[in-house]
Amino acid sequence: MEQYPYQPPEPHRREGAEQGTGHGHEAAETAHGAASGHGHAHGHSHSHSPAAPVSQHLRKVIAAILVPFTAAVLVGLVVLWPGQAPAHKRTGVGFDRQTQQATVTRVVELSCASANASGVPPTGDTSTAEGSSAQQQADGTCKKATIRVDTGKDKGRTFTEIVQPDQSRQLHQDEKVVVAYEPSAPKDLQYAVTDVNRKFPMTLLAGVFAVAVVLVGRLRGVMALVALAVSFLVLTLFILPAILEGSNPLLVAVVGSSAIMLIALYLCHGLSARTSVAVLGTLISLGLIGVLGSLFIGWAALTGNTDDNTGLIHGLYPSIDMSGLLLAGVIIGSLGVLDDVTVTQTSAVWELHEANPSMGWRGLYRAGIRIGRDHIASVVNTLVLAYAGAALPLLLLFSIAQSSVGTVANSELVAEEIVRTLVGSIGLVASVPVTTALAALVVSADRTASGAGVAGASAGARPAPARGGRGRRRKR
């Protein structure tokens, strides 16, 4: 800070500078405070750091709620912490099979007829999908790929695979692939290409994402990445193994989501009353989502067993409650968006209070809820479009079948997504007024106590006159 000598002919300028140091009100606000005789009541900090701490009393009230909740989460983690997932014999179906890394070393073209790729003679009827495919396989050009196994006990072993012309994935020389291994099959059929190895592009994309977050968010971005890593660890080390071990999926999801919420919010936004209010708002909204999800999943008779993957899970671990697993997915899936809404609403109310400390809780709530309405509209639309985008192939299939909207919505596969979307959206909508009201009550209750303390400490001080732009620049 640049220092200026004391000037006896201008005592008011020095006095105003002493009172104004540390806050960022504009000159018009300073003039208003001086004219009303309460310029000294604005002595709290208005820097770019988080909002000034609330009173000791309010911190005790918030701690009285959050400390028992945090203790309960810790107890839940200890009680439900899993050992090892129950072992099972591999079925060789879907993801439940042995895989190895491999490389395509050679690709040559040859006629499908000579390779006998299909093994099924063409029927001559190309009006059906099967007939058209058989005709292409008979008359088209196939590829014969040689693949080398790069990992496992058969490292260096090669095998060949015929790629049909209508196959969606075509193999190319030097391409990295994933192969499935079935030890009980004949030796020349033990290996088969199942997918492309995407490790490098996925890792590169993750690196670009991390760099972008750190460049824009700086320290806050680093903390966000750490919170993301912690969330992933809680998911993989606690939630998934505990469910596989037979624990109640709903209880595991509630405890795991609460742990993720506490770690992520406090790590990213600091240990403050503002963050604690966001945690309370998120907790209440998650409770509402859990109640509504449990009610409507049971009422709509959703089993949670709707595709090959869930069917495989149910077959391997019959003790897992699949409808409970569906509800757990709804809770976990809603948590990330809830964090965004509650933190944004809490910050909005805090900043409104900083801009106008004289505003009561009703005024803060009305102003905050106006901001929240815009947030609601965008977030709900985002959720619906996200689920629709994920289910786009399924919706396209129903469109091809010319099924009615009622028929599509009544099918369990689509009804599951509808319930997931609507229950999550109701929780998001409810989080806005709940969090806004909590934040408004906290900051307005704190304003009276802190304002009285500042006023008492400043009793007898003379009001400072309005300052011009020159004086404001000196304080910087």
Side-chain angles (χ1 to χ4, degrees):
M1 181 184 296
E2 186 178 354
Q3 300 295 327
Y4 288 85
Y6 169 66
Q7 300 176 5
E10 299 179 357
H12 293 292
R13 176 169 297 181
R14 181 175 64 88
E15 181 179 303
E18 290 174 354
Q19 293 177 6
T21 301
H23 69 75
H25 283 307
E26 296 181 357
E29 289 179 309
T30 306
H32 172 76
S36 61
H38 296 284
H40 56 272
H42 295 272
H44 52 283
S45 173
H46 288 264
S47 63
H48 295 288
S49 59
V54 297
S55 64
Q56 187 71 21
H57 173 69
L58 282 177
R59 273 183 282 181
K60 289 181 179 179
V61 172
I62 294 173
I65 300 173
L66 290 180
V67 169
F69 170 68
T70 304
V73 172
L74 291 175
V75 171
L77 287 172
V78 172
V79 172
L80 296 173
W81 193 265
Q84 292 183 346
H88 70 278
K89 186 177 180 180
R90 289 186 179 272
T91 62
V93 177
F95 291 104
D96 190 42
R97 52 187 169 183
Q98 299 182 45
T99 59
Q100 302 293 343
Q101 307 301 315
T103 303
V104 180
T105 59
R106 187 183 179 196
V107 177
V108 295
E109 294 185 349
L110 73 165
S111 67
C112 292
S114 64
N116 193 22
S118 65
V120 179
T123 61
D125 181 10
T126 59
S127 61
T128 63
E130 292 81 1
S132 176
S133 176
Q135 189 67 40
Q136 281 187 344
Q137 293 169 12
D139 301 336
T141 301
C142 293
K143 294 180 180 179
K144 182 178 181 181
T146 302
I147 298 101
R148 182 189 67 239
V149 180
D150 295 333
T151 59
K153 64 182 183 66
D154 290 331
K155 181 179 180 180
R157 177 178 168 182
T158 60
F159 65 96
T160 60
E161 186 162 311
I162 302 299
V163 182
Q164 301 171 5
D166 60 342
Q167 193 169 314
S168 59
R169 181 181 295 111
Q170 298 292 315
L171 299 180
H172 308 282
Q173 188 167 334
D174 298 326
E175 186 176 23
K176 301 293 183 180
V177 294
V178 178
V179 296
Y181 172 63
E182 178 50 59
S184 61
K187 187 172 182 180
D188 57 340
L189 298 177
Q190 287 181 334
Y191 285 96
V193 176
T194 60
D195 210 340
V196 174
N197 190 333
R198 303 181 179 89
K199 286 186 178 180
F200 178 74
M202 299 293 284
T203 304
L204 179 62
L205 181 60
V208 172
F209 164 73
V211 170
V213 169
V214 173
L215 286 178
V216 178
R218 300 187 180 180
L219 181 59
R220 197 66 72 85
V222 174
M223 291 296 101
L225 292 177
V226 174
L228 180 62
V230 172
S231 301
F232 181 76
L233 289 175
V234 172
L235 183 64
T236 55
L237 298 181
F238 172 70
I239 295 178
L240 298 181
I243 292 175
L244 287 178
E245 202 176 45
S247 299
N248 185 289
L250 176 58
L251 186 58
V252 171
V254 169
V255 173
S257 298
S258 299
I260 291 174
M261 174 186 65
L262 290 170
I263 296 171
L265 286 181
Y266 283 117
L267 192 60
C268 292
H269 305 285
L271 190 63
S272 65
R274 176 190 291 192
T275 308
S276 298
V277 171
V279 168
L280 289 175
T282 306
L283 177 61
I284 294 172
S285 303
L286 277 179
L288 177 61
I289 289 174
V291 171
L292 288 177
S294 179
L295 175 63
F296 282 95
I297 286 175
W299 198 357
L302 299 178
T303 63
N305 189 0
T306 53
D307 56 24
D308 294 339
N309 292 326
T310 54
L312 178 60
I313 293 172
H314 183 65
L316 294 174
Y317 301 97
S319 61
I320 293 180
D321 180 8
M322 298 304 294
S323 60
L325 187 63
L326 172 61
L327 179 57
V330 172
I331 293 174
I332 296 173
S334 303
L335 178 61
V337 188
L338 270 179
D339 287 352
D340 173 48
V341 173
T342 55
V343 169
T344 300
Q345 285 304 115
T346 305
S347 297
V349 173
W350 241 264
E351 293 302 326
L352 287 168
H353 169 67
E354 292 290 312
N356 186 2
S358 64
M359 188 181 296
W361 82 269
R362 292 181 185 274
L364 287 171
Y365 177 80
R366 285 194 295 266
I369 206 68
R370 285 196 294 270
I371 299 172
R373 290 191 185 105
D374 291 335
H375 208 179
I376 288 173
S378 60
V379 167
V380 170
N381 197 41
T382 299
L383 268 183
V384 173
L385 290 179
Y387 284 125
L392 198 58
L394 177 65
L395 297 178
L396 184 61
L397 185 61
F398 279 111
S399 178
I400 293 173
Q402 297 181 353
S403 301
S404 65
V405 175
T407 302
V408 172
N410 190 65
S411 65
E412 183 172 0
L413 197 57
V414 176
E416 183 178 292
E417 297 301 326
I418 292 175
V419 170
R420 190 197 310 270
T421 303
L422 296 182
V423 167
S425 298
I426 291 172
L428 288 174
V429 171
S431 70
V432 172
V434 168
T435 308
T436 305
L438 286 173
L441 287 171
V442 168
V443 293
S444 61
D446 180 61
R447 178 184 62 82
T448 303
S450 61
V454 174
S458 306
R462 286 186 297 171
R467 296 292 308 277
R470 180 182 176 189
R472 180 62 59 195
R473 285 194 297 271
R474 283 187 175 184
K475 289 190 294 182
R476 292 177 183 170

